[in-house]
């Protein structure tokens, strides 16, 4: 069994309210709260789609019955702050290009708890995708849109993301 918990989000959004308002072409401040929430919602959907943190976070991962290498989802990993095996501090080494693989000195282990921080992703593709998704959410605020079913990341936004996607199985 694997459980994940976000302990803390370490920075604000990569897209500002003003950037989103300019992109959506909204002049009044009446919908600022709504747009701010839509920016956050768009980012969360994209983080789950990419299996990567767009904004840096502190995370805890719990693993039961570990017999091999541990892959940390939601990279890029900045630091691994603590690793405990069966309740005691463990000796480990971080591996992989993004230090997102943890190799324990002693396996198997019944319970492993890892606390780590991610760096976040901040580039033009990510920002553009968040802007597009925020605009789509803003323009289509109702559950029902005649002739359209919006059930996943919009196709144009999805086409920007393949180079950013991590695979976590």
């Amino acid at each position: 069994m694997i459980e994940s918990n976000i302990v803390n989000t370490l920075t604000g959004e990569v897209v500002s309210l003003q950037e989103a308002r300019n992109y959506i072409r909204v002049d009044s401040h009446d919908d600022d709260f709504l747009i701010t929430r839509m920016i956050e919602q768009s980012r969360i959907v994209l983080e789950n789609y990419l299996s990567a943190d767009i904004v840096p976070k502190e995370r805890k991962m719990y693993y039961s019955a570990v017999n091999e290498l541990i892959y940390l989802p939601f990279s890029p990993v900045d630091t691994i702050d603590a690793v405990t095996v069966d309740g005691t501090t463990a000796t480990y080494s971080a591996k992989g290009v993004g230090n997102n693989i943890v190799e324990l000195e002693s396996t198997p282990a019944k319970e492993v708890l890892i606390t780590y921080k991610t760096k976040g992703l901040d580039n033009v593709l990510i920002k553009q995708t968040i802007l597009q998704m925020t605009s789509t959410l803003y323009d289509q605020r109702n559950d029902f849109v005649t002739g359209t079913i919006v059930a996943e990341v919009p196709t144009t936004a999805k086409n920007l993301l393949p180079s950013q996607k991590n695979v976590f199985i």
Side-chain angles (χ1 to χ4, degrees):
M1 172 175 58
I2 299 173
E3 292 182 40
S4 175
N5 183 27
I6 298 170
V7 176
N8 194 13
T9 300
L10 303 173
T11 65
E13 300 295 336
V14 296
V15 170
S16 71
L17 172 61
Q18 189 57 49
E19 288 173 309
R21 288 175 77 247
N22 291 344
Y23 188 85
I24 300 169
R25 296 188 180 129
V26 172
D27 293 328
S28 85
H29 293 280
D30 295 342
D31 289 339
D32 282 359
F33 178 75
L34 179 65
I35 294 169
T36 299
R37 296 215 28 207
M38 289 175 173
I39 292 167
E40 181 180 9
Q41 292 165 357
S42 298
R43 185 219 357 117
I44 290 169
V45 167
L46 294 176
E47 285 177 333
N48 289 326
Y49 176 76
L50 294 172
S51 294
D53 282 340
I54 293 170
V55 297
K57 293 183 184 66
E58 180 181 1
R59 291 183 166 273
K60 280 190 178 184
M61 294 295 300
Y62 169 82
Y63 299 85
S64 63
V66 173
N67 292 316
E68 52 193 43
L69 299 175
I70 299 170
Y71 295 89
L72 297 175
F74 295 97
S75 58
V77 173
D78 188 20
T79 60
I80 298 173
D81 299 326
V83 177
T84 60
V85 174
D86 300 331
T88 60
T89 302
T91 303
Y92 68 93
S93 58
K95 298 183 179 273
V97 174
N99 289 329
N100 62 328
I101 301 170
V102 175
E103 182 177 30
L104 299 174
E105 186 176 277
S106 61
T107 52
K110 290 182 183 176
E111 294 183 330
V112 176
L113 182 63
I114 301 174
T115 303
Y116 68 103
K117 292 182 181 81
T118 58
K119 293 179 187 178
L121 302 171
D122 184 0
N123 63 49
V124 294
L125 295 175
I126 296 294
K127 285 184 176 186
Q128 182 62 32
T129 305
I130 291 172
L131 288 169
Q132 285 183 357
M133 286 190 66
T134 302
S135 177
T136 300
L137 289 172
Y138 186 78
D139 291 341
Q140 300 178 6
R141 287 170 277 197
N142 298 321
D143 285 341
F144 179 77
V145 180
T146 305
T148 304
I149 298 173
V150 179
E152 58 181 275
V153 176
T155 304
T156 54
K158 198 184 290 184
N159 290 337
L160 294 172
L161 296 173
S163 66
Q164 305 295 308
K165 187 164 174 54
N166 291 323
V167 178
F168 180 75
I169 300 173

